[in-house]
């Protein structure tokens, strides 16, 4: 008589995330075509804007724009605003710009958007790091700005290859959270989420919505709670203040990609949005060009411990330290790192993306004379930046950084006392044989509320799928007939089609 035995040891576990937050790229952020943005403005206005005496001015100049996109799309925009953007980048020879389509003309939008950030990406000779990291956030369903590449012309002069980065504003909030009425804060250098005395400092927490009311009481209460609550109060109530699970998942990406210029290391480059629909703050990462091997402060980010990422000697950063001090979130963090390594943060997956971008932009880079000016780059620098290490601020090529980062993170996961078993889903799925005379049937049950159906896939040791089906579950016991299987070892994957969480078990048939 043949029997079925189920081995409940973890074989593999994946935690994937549904695409709920972020809208499609659309023509405005087309990914498989390199559009042109052609700006025309008074030459005297342009000369004034880029003069060393004026580069820190946020005064908009008048301009017109012609956008030439995919599939023959060509759109003209009249009398919009243009100015320089950025911080340290304003002093560079290759400037970055902000376009404001409604500055001088009411109801003029770029595919529904008021503003575009046209970024020079001078720090990154590959010109793709920001795109890769922002899209990794996006694929993980973290709300984040859309990014694509464009060619920029001003007064018929080719200014080079740029990144177009979506403005985080009320339209962004409406498209991600279906509600733009809460306060949005752009958090700059010094935003440690620990010092309530800085709540009204616009250089640290710049209020971008509801400026006239300027009511920052919810932010003040959040920061006070982060700094002053007891450990038990913090663990019991942090979910009332912050979307913690999404924060932890993005933290895993921040740490894996070497995003040292974000919150956890540098108190910089993120947004906080008070989401009225949830009555909590949402964390939105931003400005990810200094990643994947770029370093300005003499650190090796490829092997920095994922459990000791925050800046040493600084006891603050409670979003990092206190949240990872809670066991269930520490486990989720470990699980997220493990999942990203197995699925999306590895050289095979990421380098396919990198080379797809490279094929798209190479010709534009080779024609970009401004690309050469600020750091002595050459076209060979561009080619090498994907695979070769360097002695300047780009210490690692993209591929060797990812390879080294993955290897170091794997070792740190092994050495950690934290379990990376997906207890949140895997342990809530039961698989067992039906007793008595129905030996070729197994049952699947779950105590997770809300699951109405599951997808079942069974593969043999060669990786060949020998069974797949979607069955109704709705918290009841489900039988699956496996009479067609021969003796051997199989892996059964049970997938929740809503959350895309996966439980995997070893199945022995003999």
């Amino acid at each position: 008589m043949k029997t079925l035995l189920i081995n409940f040891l973890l074989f593999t576990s994946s935690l994937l995330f549904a695409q709920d937050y972020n809208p499609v790229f659309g023509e405005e952020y087309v990914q498989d075509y390199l559009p042109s943005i052609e700006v025309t403005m008074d030459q005297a206005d342009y000369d004034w804007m880029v003069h060393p005496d004026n580069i820190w001015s946020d005064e908009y100049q008048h301009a017109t724009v012609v956008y030439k996109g995919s599939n023959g799309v060509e759109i003209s925009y009249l009398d919009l605003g243009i100015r320089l953007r950025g911080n340290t980048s304003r002093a560079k020879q290759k400037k970055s710009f902000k376009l404001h389509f409604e500055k001088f003309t009411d109801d003029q939008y770029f595919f529904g958007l008021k503003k575009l950030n046209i970024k020079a990406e001078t720090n990154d000779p590959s010109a793709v790091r920001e795109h890769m990291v922002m899209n990794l956030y996006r694929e993980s369903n973290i709300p984040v700005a859309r990014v694509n590449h464009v060619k920029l012309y001003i007064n018929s002069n080719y200014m080079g290859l740029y990144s177009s980065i979506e403005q985080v504003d009320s339209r962004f909030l409406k498209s991600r959270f279906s509600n733009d009425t809460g306060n949005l804060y752009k958090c700059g250098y010094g935003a440690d989420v620990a010092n309530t005395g800085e709540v009204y400092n616009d250089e640290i927490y710049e209020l971008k919505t509801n400026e006239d009311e300027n009511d920052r009481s919810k932010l003040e209460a959040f920061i006070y709670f982060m700094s002053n609550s007891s450990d038990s109060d913090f663990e019991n109530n942090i979910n009332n203040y912050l979307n913690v699970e999404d924060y932890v998942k993005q933290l895993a990406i921040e740490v894996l990609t070497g995003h040292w210029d974000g919150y956890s290391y540098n108190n910089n480059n993120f947004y906080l949005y008070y989401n009225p629909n949830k009555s909590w703050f949402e964390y939105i990462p931003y400005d990810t060009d200094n990643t994947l091997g770029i370093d300005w402060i003499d650190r090796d980010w490829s092997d920095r411990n994922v459990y000791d990422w925050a800046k040493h000697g600084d006891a603050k950063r409670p979003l990092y330290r206190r949240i990872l001090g809670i066991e269930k979130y520490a486990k989720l963090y470990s699980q997220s790192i493990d999942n990203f390594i197995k699925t999306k943060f590895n050289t095979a997956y990421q380098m396919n993306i990198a080379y797809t971008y490279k094929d798209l932009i190479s010709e534009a880079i080779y024609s970009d004379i401004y690309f050469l000016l600020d750091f002595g780059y050459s076209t060979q620098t561009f080619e090498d930046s994907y695979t070769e290490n360097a002695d300047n601020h780009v210490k690692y090529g993209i591929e060797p950084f990812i390879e080294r980062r993955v290897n170091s993170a794997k070792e740190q996961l092994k050495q950690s006392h934290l379990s990376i078993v997906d207890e949140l889903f895997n342990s809530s799925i039961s698989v067992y044989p039906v007793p008595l005379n129905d030996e070729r049937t197994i049952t699947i049950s779950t105590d997770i509320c809300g699951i109405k159906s599951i997808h079942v896939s069974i593969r043999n040791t060669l990786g060949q799928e020998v069974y797949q089906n979607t069955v109704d579950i709705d918290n009841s016991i489900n039988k699956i007939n496996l009479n067609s299987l021969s003796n051997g070892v199989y892996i059964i994957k049970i997938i929740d089609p809503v959350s895309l969480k996966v439980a995997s078990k070893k199945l022995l048939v003999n």
Side-chain angles (χ1 to χ4, degrees), residues 118-228:
I118 310 300
K119 187 173 179 180
E121 301 286 10
T122 52
N123 288 350
D124 177 13
S126 76
V128 302
R129 284 174 166 88
E130 181 138 36
H131 298 243
M132 293 174 67
V133 176
M134 294 287 264
N135 285 339
L136 181 56
Y137 282 122
R138 175 187 172 87
E139 288 182 347
S140 307
N141 200 33
I142 303 300
V144 73
R146 291 173 290 178
V147 186
N148 74 336
H149 290 100
V150 298
K151 293 183 290 185
L152 178 66
Y153 296 82
I154 297 182
N155 292 342
S156 299
N157 295 317
Y158 178 52
M159 308 300 293
L161 179 79
Y162 280 75
S163 294
S164 175
I165 302 175
E166 186 176 8
Q167 181 81 11
V168 179
D169 58 11
S170 59
R171 288 174 180 263
F172 175 98
L173 301 174
K174 189 74 171 178
S175 68
R176 270 64 172 190
F177 308 112
S178 302
N179 191 325
D180 62 353
T181 62
N183 281 7
L184 173 69
Y185 299 93
K186 184 177 182 180
C187 302
Y189 183 71
D192 56 17
V193 195
N195 183 357
T196 55
E198 301 289 359
V199 166
Y200 283 86
N201 184 344
D202 240 20
E203 292 184 2
I204 295 178
Y205 300 103
E206 182 183 359
L207 183 60
K208 306 296 286 187
T209 58
N210 306 314
E211 296 100 318
D212 291 342
E213 297 176 22
N214 200 23
D215 178 4
R216 307 193 182 195
S217 56
K218 289 183 173 62
L219 178 65
E220 188 169 29
F222 173 48
I223 295 177
Y224 183 86
F225 173 80
M226 294 300 298
S227 302
N228 297 289

Side-chain angles (χ1 to χ4, degrees), residues 372-417:
L372 313 175
L373 298 181
D374 287 298
F375 295 108
Y377 297 156
S378 65
T379 53
Q380 190 60 49
T381 310
F382 167 70
E383 295 288 343
D384 291 345
S385 63
Y386 289 78
T387 57
E388 303 296 326
N389 298 334
D391 294 327
N392 54 26
H393 68 275
V394 190
K395 291 183 176 178
Y396 289 94
I398 295 173
E399 185 170 15
F401 176 86
I402 294 174
E403 183 176 12
R404 183 175 168 88
R405 190 70 183 118
V406 165
N407 290 337
S408 66
K410 282 181 177 178
E411 286 301 312
Q412 291 152 14
L413 287 175
K414 287 179 184 177
Q415 295 168 11
S416 171
H417 67 282

Side-chain angles (χ1 to χ4, degrees), residues 109-393:
Y109 304 109
F110 180 82
F111 297 95
L113 305 174
K114 288 184 179 181
K115 299 176 182 178
L116 288 183
N117 295 292
I118 310 300
K119 187 173 179 180
E121 301 286 10
T122 52
N123 288 350
D124 177 13
S126 76
V128 302
R129 284 174 166 88
E130 181 138 36
H131 298 243
M132 293 174 67
V133 176
M134 294 287 264
N135 285 339
L136 181 56
Y137 282 122
R138 175 187 172 87
E139 288 182 347
S140 307
N141 200 33
I142 303 300
V144 73
R146 291 173 290 178
V147 186
N148 74 336
H149 290 100
V150 298
K151 293 183 290 185
L152 178 66
Y153 296 82
I154 297 182
N155 292 342
S156 299
N157 295 317
Y158 178 52
M159 308 300 293
L161 179 79
Y162 280 75
S163 294
S164 175
I165 302 175
E166 186 176 8
Q167 181 81 11
V168 179
D169 58 11
S170 59
R171 288 174 180 263
F172 175 98
L173 301 174
K174 189 74 171 178
S175 68
R176 270 64 172 190
F177 308 112
S178 302
N179 191 325
D180 62 353
T181 62
N183 281 7
L184 173 69
Y185 299 93
K186 184 177 182 180
C187 302
Y189 183 71
D192 56 17
V193 195
N195 183 357
T196 55
E198 301 289 359
V199 166
Y200 283 86
N201 184 344
D202 240 20
E203 292 184 2
I204 295 178
Y205 300 103
E206 182 183 359
L207 183 60
K208 306 296 286 187
T209 58
N210 306 314
E211 296 100 318
D212 291 342
E213 297 176 22
N214 200 23
D215 178 4
R216 307 193 182 195
S217 56
K218 289 183 173 62
L219 178 65
E220 188 169 29
F222 173 48
I223 295 177
Y224 183 86
F225 173 80
M226 294 300 298
S227 302
N228 297 289
S229 58
S230 67
D231 289 344
S232 60
D233 184 27
F234 185 85
E235 182 170 358
N236 291 332
N237 292 294
I238 180 58
N239 266 313
N240 295 326
Y241 289 88
L242 178 70
N243 184 347
V244 187
E245 290 195 4
D246 275 6
Y247 171 75
V248 171
K249 292 169 190 173
Q250 79 76 34
L251 176 60
I253 296 174
E254 181 179 337
V255 170
L256 278 175
T257 60
H259 183 24
W260 57 269
D261 201 18
Y263 167 77
S264 300
Y265 189 88
N266 207 35
N267 290 334
N268 201 14
N269 289 325
F270 64 101
Y271 286 83
L272 288 174
Y273 174 59
Y274 184 79
N275 183 348
N277 289 346
K278 299 290 188 178
S279 299
W280 64 21
F281 278 95
E282 308 277 359
Y283 183 100
I284 304 169
Y286 195 72
D287 203 5
T288 59
D289 56 337
N290 287 317
T291 54
L292 301 177
I294 290 183
D295 168 64
W296 292 98
I297 56 176
D298 196 26
R299 298 287 185 276
D300 189 339
W301 307 105
S302 69
D303 62 1
R304 189 175 180 88
N305 197 310
V306 298
Y307 300 110
D308 188 24
W309 174 262
K311 190 173 183 179
H312 295 167
D314 188 339
K316 295 180 180 179
R317 294 167 178 76
L319 279 179
Y320 173 87
R321 299 185 190 279
R322 297 202 73 181
I323 287 174
L324 291 189
I326 300 174
E327 184 177 6
K328 67 178 178 179
Y329 295 127
K331 287 182 177 180
L332 177 60
Y333 176 66
S334 295
Q335 293 157 7
S336 298
I337 289 175
D338 181 62
N339 174 70
F340 286 129
I341 289 172
K342 289 176 178 176
T343 57
K344 290 182 170 60
F345 191 75
N346 52 69
T347 54
Y349 190 94
Q350 288 298 321
M351 292 313 294
N352 180 61
I353 295 171
Y355 286 131
T356 299
Y357 281 134
K358 184 174 181 287
D359 289 343
L360 180 68
I361 67 176
S362 290
E363 184 177 349
I365 283 283
Y366 273 61
S367 303
D368 183 353
I369 62 172
Y370 293 93
F371 173 78
L372 313 175
L373 298 181
D374 287 298
F375 295 108
Y377 297 156
S378 65
T379 53
Q380 190 60 49
T381 310
F382 167 70
E383 295 288 343
D384 291 345
S385 63
Y386 289 78
T387 57
E388 303 296 326
N389 298 334
D391 294 327
N392 54 26
H393 68 275

Side-chain angles (χ1 to χ4, degrees), residues 457-473:
S457 172
I458 301 177
R459 294 181 181 270
N460 60 25
T461 55
L462 298 177
Q464 299 166 327
E465 189 172 60
V466 296
Y467 177 92
Q468 68 87 21
N469 196 15
T470 299
V471 296
D472 292 333
I473 187 166

